[in-house]
Amino acid sequence: MDLEFNRNEDQNKQLVHRLHVKSVTVKQGGGEKKIKEQHEKGKLTARERIQYLTDKDSEFLEIGLFVGEGMYKEQGGCPSGGVVTGIGYIQGRQCVVVANDATVKAGAWFPITAKKNLRAQEIAMENRLPIVYLVDSAGVFLPMQDEIFPDKEHFGRQFRNNAKMSAMGIIQIAAIMGSCVAGGAYLPIMSDEAMIVDKTGSIFLAGSYLVKAAIGEDIDNETLGGATTHCEISGVTDNKFPSDQACLDYIRSLFSKFGSTEKAGFDRTSPQKPKEKPEEMYGLLPNDRVKPYDVREIVKRFVDNSEFDEYKELYGQTLFCATARIDGWAVGIIANQRKVVKTKKGEMQMGGVIYSDSADKAARFIMNCNQRKIPLVFIQDVSGFMVGSKAEHGGIIKDGAKMVNAMANSTVPKFTVITGNSYGAGNYAMCGKAYDPRLIVAWPTAQIAVMSGASAAKTLLQIRVASLKAQGKEITKEEEASLLKEITDRYNEQLSPYYAASRLWIDSIIDPIETRKVISMGIEAANHGVVEKFNVGVIQV
């Protein structure tokens, strides 16, 4: 391998190492002291519960590990949003698991916690997967109640989803393994079956202190809403268990008896590993964000047998479109081509930019995949659409709209992997979060923003300097340089994939080697759902 490959490999492996180190830290939740307190109460932690519940040595695709990263500093932080969510396997059956982390503010709900819970429910609804709630939460984080309680996508939306999922026939199982108070009490009881752990689990609309304040009644929490009360007197819960482990064993027993469901019918053959070495992706992706490379070489490292059938290879060359297989699943791949190409007309096209012919090609390819019921995989490394008089006169807006229309109306499941740049309208056209990908993940090399850091910083600087001059203030070259650095540093922080992950703009940051696994598990999940009839509506040609 050449020097450039080795340099890329070294830098990208450092980013992956940082990802693994940060992952280990975040998975500690509220820290060792809080974990020890859980154990002293005879309770497992959220992650221990998931590990015990899911099949031994099976994959667990965590969603939102870095949610809350860098947020709520005044409140002491909220690692993983105080809840662990993901797609796993119970008795060989794929499902969504949601587990409150009581080591983080007693499992209280922050605004981002609600967003993360709703995302987990969304995944279950889109893919018609069973969902298990492991409840251990003090309820809404009261100092921020105005940001979590009343709006459409706030706390109450989860109960609406409980009802909708029940009507859709999606199995919901809940285990009350700690506190379950106030409005949160509705979540387990709106599930199909609710169980409770004796002595540690409790559920009530108002705790003993609030009951005393409201109606003057003296009563302890266990008598008010413990396992004996709700299993023997109120009938609110279905069964009680002496320990977390016994409760989780019962859930596994339930899963062993579920009947089979209809499949969407996506094609799958026996998986074949890539012929090319997946770890070579580290050296193939340039650390320089504008340096060209051939995305085909990246794709070869995660598709079966390193084979694909390219669509319109000589047309619209800044977008690579091809059908292939990933872990046996048939897929349609749309990837930005950062390689600078020359057209038959003798024109040079910049890599990472979507031109009219590329957009036209992608729209047709998307329609073909929908016609053939083939899931779509978008590999983003995009700077945006081409600009300038030639592009505008050539109808770039019309062709871009055509691509966005076809992608937005696509009814086969879509999956998005952000490997590099994800800027401006390119993020939208390549199935950004706003366009409902079943899963959207990023490599540690990803950057997500309306434009690159350098372009944005210069634009913002011009606006700031103009504003100061309008106020009659002069700015020296030194002050201008200092201001540019301040703006650049702040913008670069917002470009980070961790910034995006903390706000759930992406589901996960993954090691590039995991790309194949994530897409495969995503399609397996989507295969439990249904595919509606495809109709793009009105498209200008």
Side-chain angles (χ1 to χ4, degrees):
M1 297 295 177
D2 61 17
L3 181 62
E4 184 66 25
F5 182 97
N6 292 335
R7 187 181 294 112
N8 292 337
E9 182 180 46
D10 181 58
Q11 291 171 327
N12 287 327
K13 281 187 174 181
Q14 286 183 40
L15 291 175
V16 170
H17 176 71
R18 182 189 177 214
L19 169 64
H20 292 321
V21 170
K22 287 175 72 70
S23 297
V24 170
T25 302
V26 172
K27 286 179 180 178
Q28 289 296 305
E32 291 183 6
K33 183 180 177 181
K34 292 293 183 181
I35 292 172
K36 184 179 178 182
E37 289 175 3
Q38 289 291 102
H39 291 163
E40 288 172 348
K41 295 175 183 177
K43 298 166 66 176
L44 299 175
T45 64
R47 294 184 183 280
E48 290 169 342
R49 287 167 178 165
I50 291 173
Q51 185 177 23
Y52 188 95
L53 176 65
T54 53
D55 296 344
K56 186 177 180 181
D57 297 326
S58 66
E59 297 284 359
F60 182 73
L61 179 57
E62 185 161 353
I63 304 297
L65 172 62
F66 294 107
V67 160
E69 170 98 353
M71 301 171 68
Y72 312 120
K73 292 179 181 178
E74 292 182 3
Q75 292 77 25
C78 187
S80 283
V83 62
V84 184
T85 62
I87 301 173
Y89 297 87
I90 302 175
Q91 300 287 17
R93 182 156 186 154
Q94 208 175 33
C95 62
V96 174
V97 183
V98 177
N100 299 113
D101 186 351
T103 71
V104 179
K105 297 290 190 296
W109 284 55
F110 282 68
I112 200 66
T113 314
K115 187 174 183 179
K116 185 172 177 179
N117 275 266
L118 293 177
R119 175 59 178 148
Q121 288 184 320
E122 180 182 45
I123 289 171
M125 294 169 80
E126 285 181 331
N127 300 294
R128 298 182 186 273
L129 291 177
I131 184 167
V132 177
Y133 307 101
L134 305 180
V135 184
D136 193 346
S137 172
V140 168
F141 185 66
L142 287 178
M144 304 186 77
Q145 65 84 27
D146 61 320
E147 297 179 48
I148 186 175
F149 173 69
D151 210 347
K152 181 178 178 179
E153 300 296 333
H154 282 179
F155 188 73
R157 186 76 171 183
Q158 65 175 332
F159 313 129
R160 174 264 188 194
N161 287 349
N162 283 143
K164 290 290 185 180
M165 281 191 279
S166 184
M168 292 168 67
I170 296 171
I171 298 167
Q172 299 177 83
I173 303 295
I176 302 158
M177 313 185 84
S179 297
C180 184
V181 301
Y186 287 106
L187 183 143
I189 310 310
M190 291 187 74
S191 299
D192 302 339
E193 191 162 346
M195 54 225 61
I196 187 168
V197 178
D198 197 18
K199 306 306 179 188
T200 55
S202 60
I203 178 169
F204 33 64
L205 293 181
S208 56
Y209 292 121
L210 186 54
V211 167
K212 173 69 174 176
I215 63 174
E217 180 183 4
D218 280 311
I219 190 169
D220 63 87
N221 282 338
E222 184 64 25
T223 305
L224 181 65
T228 298
T229 294
H230 286 310
C231 285
E232 299 180 21
I233 301 173
S234 72
V236 166
T237 52
D238 300 307
N239 286 293
K240 67 177 179 178
F241 298 90
S243 66
D244 283 7
Q245 290 88 339
C247 184
L248 297 170
D249 285 337
Y250 181 72
I251 296 175
R252 288 186 56 80
S253 179
L254 290 177
F255 266 75
S256 71
K257 301 174 182 68
F258 291 167
S260 60
T261 57
E262 291 183 31
K263 302 292 184 185
F266 304 125
D267 187 65
R268 191 181 197 186
T269 58
S270 297
Q272 297 182 54
K273 292 183 178 179
K275 280 185 178 179
E276 305 290 348
K277 296 177 181 178
E279 59 270 21
E280 289 179 351
M281 287 189 284
Y282 298 132
L284 290 168
L285 186 69
N287 191 258
D288 185 338
R289 309 199 72 82
V290 297
K291 191 160 188 175
Y293 66 95
D294 192 345
V295 77
R296 295 176 184 86
E297 296 303 317
I298 299 287
V299 171
K300 285 178 183 177
R301 269 71 185 176
F302 64 77
V303 298
D304 287 16
N305 214 30
S306 298
E307 294 176 344
F308 50 77
D309 296 314
E310 190 163 354
Y311 176 76
K312 289 183 177 287
E313 180 181 355
L314 302 177
Y315 179 72
Q317 295 182 60
T318 62
L319 274 179
F320 165 82
C321 299
T323 51
R325 290 190 182 275
I326 295 178
D327 200 31
W329 294 105
V331 296
I333 299 171
I334 302 171
N336 299 111
Q337 179 60 284
R338 215 201 280 177
K339 186 178 180 182
V340 178
V341 296
K342 190 173 183 178
T343 69
K344 282 189 174 182
K345 298 178 181 179
E347 301 165 338
M348 298 300 293
Q349 293 191 341
M350 295 186 299
V353 178
I354 302 175
Y355 288 75
S356 284
D357 54 358
S358 302
D360 172 66
K361 166 176 150 179
R364 292 188 184 201
F365 183 71
I366 290 167
M367 288 187 275
N368 278 343
C369 287
N370 274 270
Q371 185 85 340
R372 300 163 192 175
K373 205 152 77 169
I374 300 174
L376 289 163
V377 177
F378 292 82
I379 309 296
Q380 283 198 19
D381 189 356
V382 60
S383 301
F385 284 87
M386 190 57 190
V387 296
S389 61
K390 187 172 182 179
E392 298 293 357
H393 296 170
I396 185 65
I397 296 175
K398 178 180 66 177
D399 290 317
K402 187 190 305 181
M403 178 180 174
V404 171
N405 193 323
M407 181 274 300
N409 283 299
S410 176
T411 55
V412 295
K414 304 180 293 252
F415 303 90
T416 302
V417 182
I418 305 173
T419 62
N421 303 326
S422 179
Y423 299 151
N427 169 281
Y428 297 162
M430 292 294 291
C431 196
K433 184 65 182 288
Y435 293 86
D436 298 324
R438 296 296 177 95
L439 291 173
I440 178 169
V441 298
W443 290 3
T445 47
Q447 288 191 349
I448 305 165
V450 72
M451 64 177 72
S452 71
S455 299
K458 289 174 183 176
T459 303
L460 290 168
L461 176 66
Q462 290 172 1
I463 294 170
R464 184 79 68 86
V465 170
S467 176
L468 290 170
K469 286 183 177 179
Q471 298 171 30
K473 299 176 182 177
E474 289 298 323
I475 183 167
T476 66
K477 290 291 182 183
E478 291 76 15
E479 290 171 333
E480 189 172 314
S482 176
L483 193 54
L484 177 60
K485 184 180 183 304
E486 176 192 328
I487 293 170
T488 302
D489 290 346
R490 185 172 67 251
Y491 196 86
N492 283 340
E493 179 187 351
Q494 295 174 0
L495 283 170
S496 164
Y498 295 98
Y499 191 90
S502 72
R503 289 149 180 82
L504 211 54
W505 301 344
I506 55 176
D507 293 317
S508 301
I509 303 173
I510 65 168
D511 184 332
I513 301 297
E514 295 180 321
T515 303
R516 182 176 163 87
K517 178 193 80 174
V518 170
I519 294 171
S520 177
M521 286 185 68
I523 298 175
E524 182 184 351
N527 202 37
H528 292 87
V530 295
V531 178
E532 298 174 359
K533 185 178 179 181
F534 177 63
N535 185 350
V536 295
V538 177
I539 288 184
Q540 292 192 47
V541 296

